[in-house]
Amino acid sequence: MDLLDSIVIGAGQAGLSSSYHLRRLGIPHLVLDADDAPGGAWQHRWDALTMQDVHGVAELPGSVPPPRTSARANTAVPATFAAYEREHELPVRRPVHVDRVTDEDGILVVHAAEGTWRARTLVNATGTWTQPFLPHYPGMETFLGEQFHTVDYPGPEHFRGRRVLVVGGGASAVQFLGALAPIADVLWATRRPPVWRTDDFTPEAGAAAVALVEQRVARGLAPQSVVSVTGLMLRPQEQEAARRGVYDARRPMFQRIEPDGVRWADGSFERVDAILWATGFRPAIGHLAPLHLRSALGGIQLDHDGRGTTAVKDPRIQLVGYGPSASTIGANRAGRTAARGVQQYLRTPAPALDATA
Ligand SMILES: Cc1cc2nc3c(=O)[nH]c(=O)nc-3n(C[C@H](O)[C@H](O)[C@H](O)COP(=O)(O)OP(=O)(O)OC[C@H]3O[C@@H](n4cnc5c(N)ncnc54)[C@H](O)[C@@H]3O)c2cc1C
């Protein structure tokens, strides 16, 4: 089995950016991606999501951003990624679902049903889409209506004329409410009061918000989503829902789920036909468990006070699209940083063997 200088796991924005920069640095590598086709998580977004609805997809390095048209995001972004992979001749192999990465005598061994690969370094770019987070509430399994998570959102038409409870305080919940309010009877519940952006969102304010996620990653805490610190805003698509008072009528989380609806701690009850859990995602890093990268606090500590991409516990491992770089613009930058981190590791002389040992 050949020994590669680097393996990138994942071919979304973060993985492609990393591969682009590794190529520029002349570092032989392979990109292993679990999906059948290019596009990362974008190919799995719901059909009703258009390029005008997305918050903004940054251009991949050395490229132009996908156009903001009424085209479906789940076809437009994948088409851009496919063209990018071809143009830059990125060495992507798919479908390869990596089950685990182990350390065998100082060599990283990447295991998948499709094969086994050995490498000196690893860039992990597996995103969050495959790890939807669904909180558990008592009585959840007794509910007779439908339950969806963001990953299987069937689009607004499915809910026409029905009573829908949207759960979650992030950008997806705000967007679902905006789309559903004109055609359905909607309710909103969040764990914490939503944080709205009240002033103009300047690049400085954005950087300050991302710095909060960096601080968590620097301490080895599990990262929170960038949106949770940048705050929420209402776009033109959400104005109709705002006029209907949907965002003002937000309620705290209910205490339990019953067959026909949800009940709050004060005894109040709302009947609902469907619950839409817009409760976010967690980093898809289970395959890295054998490397023991997690800190006692549950997250993976990254270097440069959380601004870097190198795992503090193992300088062979880079994490991109993780924590502060979990946005398309952040993923781009992280790809460059990771490629440099790989280069630096490969240039570092191996420690001399202790002859007395
Ligand atoms: C609904 C939604 C809308 C969003 N809109 C925006 C937006 O408008 N702008 C923005 O900047 N960000 C947005 N984001 C965040 C966005 O997902 C990230 O910015 C970015 O697209 C993530 O890129 P990524 O490369 O890290 O992950 P992904 O795009 O998820 O790519 C990960 C890749 O890794 C592969 N993979 C996963 N596990 C394995 C494994 N074990 N083995 C092999 N391959 C694996 C997957 O197949 C996938 O191809 C949104 C997120 C969500 C959920």
Side-chain angles (χ1 to χ4, degrees), residues 9-10 12-14 33-35 40-42 45 55-56 96 98 125-127 327-328:
I9 309 180
Q13 186 100 10
D33 186 51
D35 272 295
W42 290 101
R45 308 271 204 248
H55 288 273
V96 176
V98 174
T126 44
S327 69
T328 53

Side-chain angles (χ1 to χ4, degrees), residues 44-49 74 146-160 162 164 176 180 183 274-277:
H44 304 296
R45 308 271 204 248
W46 53 98
D47 287 348
L49 186 76
N74 63 12
E146 288 186 303
Q147 299 190 64
F148 298 90
H149 183 275
T150 303
V151 280
D152 43 33
Y153 175 58
E157 276 308 317
H158 182 86
F159 300 98
R160 184 176 281 278
R162 300 165 76 196
V164 188
F176 292 150
L180 293 171
I183 59 168
I275 304 175
L276 180 50
W277 298 93

